Amino acid sequence: MDLSQTPARRWLSPVPWGFALLAAASSLTYGGDHAVNAWASTNLANMGDHPVEALVASAFLFGADPWACLRGIALAGAMLAFLVIRFGNIRAVALIAAGQVLGTLVSEGLLAARIAAGQADPALRATLDVGPSYVIVSALAAVVAAGARRWHRWTALAALAVRAPHITSGLTTLGVTPVGHVTALSTGLLLAWALRSSDARHRHLQRLTSRAASLQTEGGTNGRVPSVIRPPARRRFTPHDRLDGTGASQVPPSKRTGALPP
């Protein structure tokens, strides 16, 4: 696919717009509801009870602050639009889902290991942990690695640089959130690089196949368009010709050629 000729209608893809609308509705409705946030939190307690529901619901809760909610939704929607332009709907959703799932599993798994080893407080199993930050970070990293346009990549890089202090804060103490952020960022980078490499190999194979077909066609015709084979012209007999039963001429050669007999 020629990325420079990407159809403008991809900006109207249901993935970024659907995510933004659903996130706005859920955040403005339940962002301040402690019971909902506690149920949607991707902590160890919920991951052992309803992991799928918590992973999905947590990604659509931006918090109770309306302005912070709108800023986060705008950033997430823009990055999702960039991903859809580059990879299409299905692969874009798969990429951010991988960031959300792996970011949660690695960070919470590390916390579980630290609690089992006596290095962390068991009360952290019920910590409130909601929000789409893993989705946003993985999308930012993917766009930086494989954005369709240069300004897409630079925009994502600038946003990632602004969020870097928040992303890495507490990483040295192996906090759940920074570990999840770094995991989601690495997931976005690696998956985007793998998808970009796969697309490049696919385009290369297409070029090789097209070139081989062209060479085969050219070799079969020796580089020229084959001429139409016409049947041999039938001889026109004159009244002087004598025909036998088979239609063959019996006129002596001397009469047919006009030569005098010896």
Side-chain angles (χ1 to χ4, degrees), residues 136-157:
I136 295 175
V137 168
S138 59
L140 285 170
V143 175
V144 169
R149 310 286 175 81
R150 182 176 298 177
W151 71 271
H152 293 182
R153 297 191 293 271
W154 282 108
T155 301
L157 183 61

Side-chain angles (χ1 to χ4, degrees), residues 71-233:
R71 288 196 302 269
I73 290 173
L75 178 60
M79 291 305 108
L80 280 176
F82 293 164
L83 283 182
V84 169
I85 289 173
R86 179 61 178 86
F87 295 121
N89 291 312
I90 296 177
R91 293 194 295 177
V93 171
L95 195 150
I96 62 171
Q100 171 77 350
V101 171
L102 290 179
T104 301
L105 292 181
V106 171
S107 60
E108 296 295 338
L110 180 60
L111 176 61
R114 294 178 63 215
I115 292 175
Q119 300 176 357
D121 187 355
L124 293 176
R125 294 178 57 87
T127 301
L128 187 64
D129 186 12
V130 295
S133 58
Y134 297 164
V135 169
I136 295 175
V137 168
S138 59
L140 285 170
V143 175
V144 169
R149 310 286 175 81
R150 182 176 298 177
W151 71 271
H152 293 182
R153 297 191 293 271
W154 282 108
T155 301
L157 183 61
L160 194 59
V162 170
R163 296 178 65 89
H166 171 69
I167 290 172
T168 58
S169 177
L171 184 61
T172 55
T173 59
L174 299 180
V176 172
T177 301
V179 170
H181 283 153
V182 172
T183 303
L185 188 148
S186 303
T187 301
L189 283 174
L190 292 176
L191 288 181
W193 178 83
L195 291 173
R196 185 182 64 180
S197 301
S198 176
D199 289 344
R201 287 194 299 270
H202 181 67
R203 290 193 297 269
H204 181 64
L205 288 176
Q206 281 186 327
R207 287 195 297 267
L208 290 179
T209 303
S210 177
R211 186 179 304 173
S214 177
L215 291 175
Q216 184 177 4
T217 302
E218 183 177 351
T221 60
N222 197 20
R224 294 174 296 184
V225 177
S227 58
V228 178
I229 302 176
R230 296 183 176 87

Side-chain angles (χ1 to χ4, degrees), residues 4-67:
S4 63
Q5 302 296 327
T6 300
R9 64 178 178 270
R10 287 202 172 189
W11 283 103
L12 302 178
S13 166
V15 171
W17 289 102
F19 179 86
L21 291 175
L22 186 57
S26 59
S27 296
L28 294 176
T29 304
Y30 300 107
D33 192 323
H34 179 74
V36 172
N37 282 267
W39 178 84
S41 177
T42 53
N43 52 35
L44 287 175
N46 288 341
M47 293 301 292
D49 182 61
H50 50 277
V52 176
E53 295 88 341
L55 283 169
V56 174
S58 176
F60 293 94
L61 291 173
F62 281 74
D65 185 353
W67 292 112

